[in-house]
Amino acid sequence: MALIDLIQEDVVRVPLEAGTKEGIIRELVQTLAAAGKVADPEAAARAVLDREAKGSTGLEEGVAVPHGKTPAVQSLAIAVGVAPRGVEFQALDGKPSNLFFLILAPPDQSGPHIEALAEIARLCRSKAFCRTLVSSRNAREVVELFQD
Amino acid sequence: MTKPIRRILVYVDGTEQSVTAAEFAIVLAKSLGADLFALYVVNTRALSELVKAHIFLDSEQEEYHRDLDEDAERYLNHVRNLARSKGVSVTAERSSGAVHQEILAKVREHGVDLLVLGEISQIRSRRDELYNETERAMRSVACSVLIAKNEDRIAELFEELE
């Protein structure tokens, strides 16, 4: 399953409402749950928060990639969120994060999990693409950017 | 006339689509009398990239490497069992590195003339970054490529195979 197939309007949240790191993670997990992709949102959020406790996935230039392994999903699931005003996520460069890719994978599907993360890493090297994503006004615009 | 397809390689990555591809490859190998190879690649290049990008911690890299080794054994065993259940012999192999490069190398090493892959995205993006490893292999491999589609039909063919 390619990354592009997983990003549909029902897993995109624009704008994110939460103003804290934990709130962002829970909001994105809830977005996936509402899309029918997470059986146990609390367990899924806990897996991501436990991973964040070991070290922030807030990168540079406003991008964050929170992720975790959890049996709460049956297959790889991705949510994309945009917080135009930025949220403190303990990022590497100390700046607020405003573009979030939350990834959940079952424990026995590490291959697709790693490839999805690698695709996101490649994608985020394009600062222009990230800037355009952050300026999206709704979920449809985000999906269209990926499919452009 | 020589056989049109003598050696088939199926790439298995743990997705449902790749398991469907394996079933189709078994059907083809038996029907065509071809040798069958199955490959799982532990994507160590992606692991290194993720550490370099600060998405993975060092400890996480080791943890996921172990997970990938276990996945490789599990999925290759699954393919072995599927093939055995249909009386087909399969050479199941694991390698490490960049997925599309490892697939290319195995195609060359075994003189493969048909590569079977799981279904790829139906969405054609113009962004090079969104070509995943399977698509990269499909685009760059020297032999013919078959993309296994229609899971239900392939399941039927597999069940019917004696």
Side-chain angles (χ1 to χ4, degrees):
Chain A
M1 180 66 75
L3 179 67
I4 197 169
D5 292 309
L6 297 170
I7 299 174
Q8 295 155 355
E9 286 185 44
D10 61 352
V11 298
V12 178
R13 190 92 174 143
V14 183
L16 285 157
E17 292 174 2
T20 64
K21 181 175 192 172
E22 180 169 346
I24 293 284
I25 288 169
R26 290 190 179 279
E27 190 175 348
L28 288 171
V29 168
Q30 205 52 51
T31 301
L32 287 173
K37 297 181 187 300
V38 179
D40 183 346
E42 181 54 36
R46 182 49 51 199
V48 178
L49 290 167
D50 286 350
R51 162 60 187 85
E52 284 296 321
K54 294 175 187 167
S56 178
T57 58
L59 311 177
E60 294 169 340
E61 306 293 339
V63 178
V65 192
H67 58 269
K69 287 184 286 187
T70 171
V73 292
Q74 287 194 325
S75 59
L76 185 67
I78 297 178
V80 181
V82 176
R85 283 181 292 181
V87 173
E88 170 52 40
F89 213 81
Q90 298 158 314
L92 281 175
D93 59 5
K95 296 177 183 172
S97 303
N98 45 23
L99 180 57
F100 301 87
F101 297 91
L102 181 133
I103 300 185
L104 298 173
D108 64 346
Q109 289 182 25
S110 295
H113 183 172
I114 286 161
E115 286 190 14
L117 284 169
E119 281 183 65
I120 289 170
R122 281 196 294 270
L123 204 56
C124 292
R125 285 186 204 139
S126 167
K127 291 178 184 173
F129 180 71
C130 292
R131 271 199 306 272
T132 314
L133 265 182
V134 170
S135 65
S136 300
R137 288 165 298 180
N138 53 52
R140 177 177 290 186
E141 285 187 4
V142 169
V143 173
E144 283 174 354
L145 273 171
F146 277 92
Q147 296 183 357
D148 183 20
Chain B
M1 182 184 158
T2 55
K3 287 184 193 173
I5 306 291
R6 292 165 301 171
R7 292 182 169 196
I8 298 171
L9 173 69
V10 61
Y11 169 60
V12 184
D13 64 2
T15 59
E16 286 179 22
Q17 292 86 356
S18 73
V19 174
T20 298
E23 290 180 345
F24 202 27
I26 291 165
V27 170
L28 290 172
K30 184 145 190 174
S31 306
L32 300 170
D35 294 336
L36 179 61
F37 299 85
L39 175 67
Y40 185 105
V41 180
V42 174
N43 194 345
T44 49
R45 185 154 101 173
L47 284 173
S48 301
E49 280 177 5
L50 292 172
V51 172
K52 196 174 168 186
H54 301 288
I55 293 174
F56 270 3
L57 308 166
D58 287 339
S59 61
E60 213 173 4
Q61 181 183 23
E62 292 163 15
E63 177 191 337
Y64 274 82
H65 201 154
R66 282 195 300 274
D67 288 348
L68 289 174
D69 284 338
E70 288 170 11
D71 282 1
E73 277 312 300
R74 182 166 46 249
Y75 288 108
L76 289 175
N77 272 335
H78 184 56
V79 174
R80 285 187 192 102
N81 290 335
L82 287 172
R84 190 180 302 125
S85 73
K86 299 298 177 184
V88 173
S89 172
V90 60
T91 304
E93 295 178 287
R94 173 177 60 178
S95 66
S96 300
V99 172
H100 68 283
Q101 289 174 357
E102 290 301 310
I103 294 173
L104 263 60
K106 284 294 172 192
V107 164
R108 279 196 298 269
E109 179 186 335
H110 294 307
V112 167
D113 39 25
L114 182 68
L115 172 65
V116 180
L117 298 172
E119 190 166 357
I120 59 174
S121 175
Q122 294 179 7
I123 304 165
R124 187 186 177 281
S125 171
R126 284 182 295 168
R127 302 193 63 81
D128 286 344
E129 299 92 335
L130 287 168
Y131 289 147
N132 69 7
E133 292 286 352
T134 309
E135 288 179 73
R136 282 167 192 236
M138 179 195 74
R139 288 168 198 281
S140 50
V141 76
C143 68
S144 297
V145 180
L146 188 149
I147 308 295
K149 294 191 176 188
N150 195 341
E151 183 182 350
D152 292 343
R153 175 68 182 136
I154 290 171
E156 273 179 30
L157 289 169
F158 186 77
E159 286 305 314
E160 288 169 6
L161 194 66
E162 292 180 352

